[in-house]
Amino acid sequence: MTMASKSDSTRDESDDEAADSTEPESALETARRQLYHAATHLDIDQNIVERLKHPKKVHEVTVPIERDDGTVEVFTGYRAQHDSVRGPYKGGLRYHPEVTRDECVGLGMWMTWKCAVMDLPFGGAKGGVAVNPKELSSAEKERLTRRFAQEIRGAIGPTVDIPAPDMGTNPQTMAWLMDAYSMQEGETIPGVVTGKPPVIGGSKGRDEAPGRSVAIIVREAIKHYEKDINEASVAIQGYGSVGSNAARLLDDWGANIVAVSDVNGGVYDTNGLDTHSIPSHHEEPEAVMGHNAPETVTNAELLELDVDVLVPAALGNVLTAENAEDVRADIIVEGANGPTTSAADRIFTERGIPVIPDILANAGGVTVSYFEWLQDINRRTWSLERVHDELEEEMLTAWDVVRDEFTDGEVTWRDAAYIVALSRIAEAHEARGLWP
Ligand code: NAD
């Protein structure tokens, strides 16, 4: 891989500005800063960096729906399409009151890097509707989804842009979206979205995939740092899809899961918790504290436990300048998206604590989404065993490439992952050129 010092012109002042700004930073700031930062390690055409700073297109639509009481309410929806040089756009759709244009652009950029580091033939996108889904009935959510699907219909499609579930949306949302799209096209087109229920073309193993990939990366990181998984202690913040699946797999593989938490706090046992008997967020929300364990910890305390591996798998911006000096884990593996702020990242680098980044660790979700898309296009279902085997292979391939970059260059794990991603994207742009 090309490693050369970048010309000064490639450095953008906002790189350092963003890194020093008051936390927490927005997704767009983080995504742009990470782009500049990776570019400093590469001999890459400044014009390509310039292009990657901007989304290709952002669709903003008005989504009126009839509420159950007969009134009409109007919401705003977005689909930000960042870059498609390597393939169709891919990324989630979220229903959340704080969805904004800029957030979609930033998260869309993140998806571009994530797909590239995994070498998936996709670009990055993100979208959503600024709405509180908890205030909508199921029928209202269905009307919102169908109308939103209609508004963005021209912008999506199985070879154009493929949405997936994200915050506030789920397989049912994807089923409505796929149905609305298919009805208008006059044929069933399962490949227009991923994360669907398996009965209409969803993939087996999709739900647990991000947690599974986190577990695989934790296992490989333990090996890389010459620890024994049977002796390794692991603390995991968040016991939802990512946290609980990662915890249970690592538990099955011999690791000692000493602490897990949900929004209310965590349970702690230095001898290791029985992760299968602690209900996940989806089995019973907020039930972690009800589990019988010798000790409880707050979420802040969990992040500072003396463990081999810490996995923040709940929220963004939880490892900050305030607590980074107090973190005692030997290795951090990011399960959530963006759990480490730039300031915390610098402190961990100074302290020599490796942070394996989200774009690699939790990329199992988009990878199995890719498998789902392949199954849809080929009209052929894969067994769960095949999904697991192929995910394992994809994760190990990506891990090896990032690890080689980490070992060869004097860079952090995050830089290594971004260098891999950006090189692939830049090479594709160079090969295709700029037209007209
Ligand atoms: P989830 O909703 O299934 O679970 C979230 C968990 O975090 C719950 O246990 C909840 O109680 C806990 N939590 C909420 N607020 C908390 C707080 N303030 N402190 C501590 N814990 C808190 O969510 P998920 O799907 O597991 O996603 C977790 C993270 O992983 C998010 O950052 C998400 O963006 C990221 N992620 C998810 C996927 C996916 O497909 N599920 C894929 C990649 C990345």
Side-chain angles (χ1 to χ4, degrees), residues 206 210 238-242 262-263 281-282 299 313-315 335-337 362:
R206 170 66 183 81
Y239 212 59
S241 165
V242 178
D262 62 20
V263 64
H281 181 68
H282 301 276
N299 268 297
L315 304 170
N337 285 323
N362 69 28

Side-chain angles (χ1 to χ4, degrees), residues 94 114 126 165-167 206-207 209-211 237-244 261-265 280-282 285-286 288 299 312-316 318 335-339 358 362-366:
R94 49 176 61 177
K114 197 180 276 197
K126 198 69 133 194
D166 202 275
M167 213 184 270
R206 170 66 183 81
D207 289 348
Q237 182 184 58
Y239 212 59
S241 165
V242 178
S244 67
S261 70
D262 62 20
V263 64
N264 300 318
S280 75
H281 181 68
H282 301 276
E286 300 182 20
V288 168
N299 268 297
L315 304 170
V318 293
N337 285 323
D358 45 11
N362 69 28
V366 71

Side-chain angles (χ1 to χ4, degrees), residues 43 46 54 57 69 100 115-116 145 157 190 197 209 221 224 237 245 266 273-274 304 330 358 429:
D43 189 9
Q46 168 62 16
H54 306 281
K57 255 187 206 167
D69 65 5
T100 62
C115 292
T145 304
H224 177 84
Q237 182 184 58
N245 282 304
L273 298 158
D274 174 9
E304 296 171 12
D330 294 343
D358 45 11
H429 272 289

Side-chain angles (χ1 to χ4, degrees), residues 42-347:
L42 287 167
D43 189 9
I44 139 178
D45 183 351
Q46 168 62 16
N47 295 316
I48 290 173
V49 177
E50 194 55 34
R51 281 175 74 183
L52 290 171
K53 269 159 64 178
H54 306 281
K56 176 100 182 299
K57 255 187 206 167
V58 183
H59 305 266
E60 179 174 335
V61 296
T62 296
V63 192
I65 62 155
E66 187 177 338
R67 300 295 300 256
D68 291 341
D69 65 5
T71 60
V72 170
E73 196 158 348
V74 179
F75 299 97
T76 304
Y78 305 91
R79 185 69 179 170
Q81 298 170 325
H82 174 242
D83 184 80
S84 65
V85 73
R86 292 170 43 85
Y89 301 103
K90 186 86 193 81
L93 276 183
R94 49 176 61 177
Y95 289 172
H96 190 275
E98 279 152 36
V99 166
T100 62
R101 179 192 185 280
D102 274 4
E103 185 194 59
C104 293
V105 173
L107 296 172
M109 287 172 85
W110 238 331
M111 285 306 296
T112 304
W113 320 143
K114 197 180 276 197
C115 292
V117 82
M118 292 306 301
D119 210 5
L120 304 177
F122 289 138
K126 198 69 133 194
V129 178
V131 60
N132 185 350
K134 290 183 189 146
E135 289 171 4
L136 299 182
S137 69
S138 175
E140 289 169 336
K141 269 188 262 189
E142 178 173 353
R143 290 197 286 277
L144 180 83
T145 304
R146 290 183 182 280
R147 182 62 188 246
F148 184 46
Q150 178 60 18
E151 297 300 339
I152 60 166
R153 192 162 69 87
I156 61 173
T159 57
V160 182
D161 182 352
I162 306 130
D166 202 275
M167 213 184 270
T169 57
N170 57 27
Q172 178 60 69
T173 324
M174 294 304 113
W176 291 325
L177 210 160
M178 179 277 232
D179 185 67
Y181 183 86
S182 297
M183 295 294 282
Q184 291 289 348
E185 295 292 312
E187 58 180 304
T188 296
I189 305 181
V192 66
V193 289
T194 59
K196 300 175 294 295
V199 70
I200 51 165
S203 180
K204 295 189 176 85
R206 170 66 183 81
D207 289 348
E208 59 157 293
R212 179 169 280 269
S213 69
V214 169
I216 293 169
I217 296 300
V218 169
R219 189 192 65 205
E220 295 308 307
I222 287 173
K223 233 188 278 173
H224 177 84
Y225 286 100
E226 295 176 354
K227 290 172 181 281
D228 176 357
I229 193 160
N230 294 303
E231 315 255 302
S233 55
V234 183
I236 299 183
Q237 182 184 58
Y239 212 59
S241 165
V242 178
S244 67
N245 282 304
R248 288 173 181 173
L249 271 170
L250 287 165
D251 193 2
D252 293 348
W253 295 340
N256 224 12
I257 312 300
V258 294
V260 301
S261 70
D262 62 20
V263 64
N264 300 318
V267 285
Y268 180 44
D269 185 349
T270 49
N271 293 318
L273 298 158
D274 174 9
T275 56
H276 290 274
S277 68
I278 305 173
S280 75
H281 181 68
H282 301 276
E283 287 158 1
E284 190 187 340
E286 300 182 20
V288 168
M289 294 294 275
H291 182 76
N292 197 9
E295 285 179 69
T296 58
V297 283
T298 64
N299 268 297
E301 288 164 347
L302 182 141
L303 297 172
E304 296 171 12
L305 288 174
D306 187 4
V307 288
D308 291 299
V309 187
L310 171 66
V311 182
L315 304 170
N317 292 323
V318 293
L319 296 169
T320 66
E322 272 71 58
N323 61 8
E325 293 287 1
D326 300 318
V327 167
R328 285 181 290 162
D330 294 343
I331 306 167
I332 298 168
V333 176
E334 296 186 329
N337 285 323
T340 314
T341 66
S342 316
D345 226 8
R346 281 200 306 275
I347 295 169

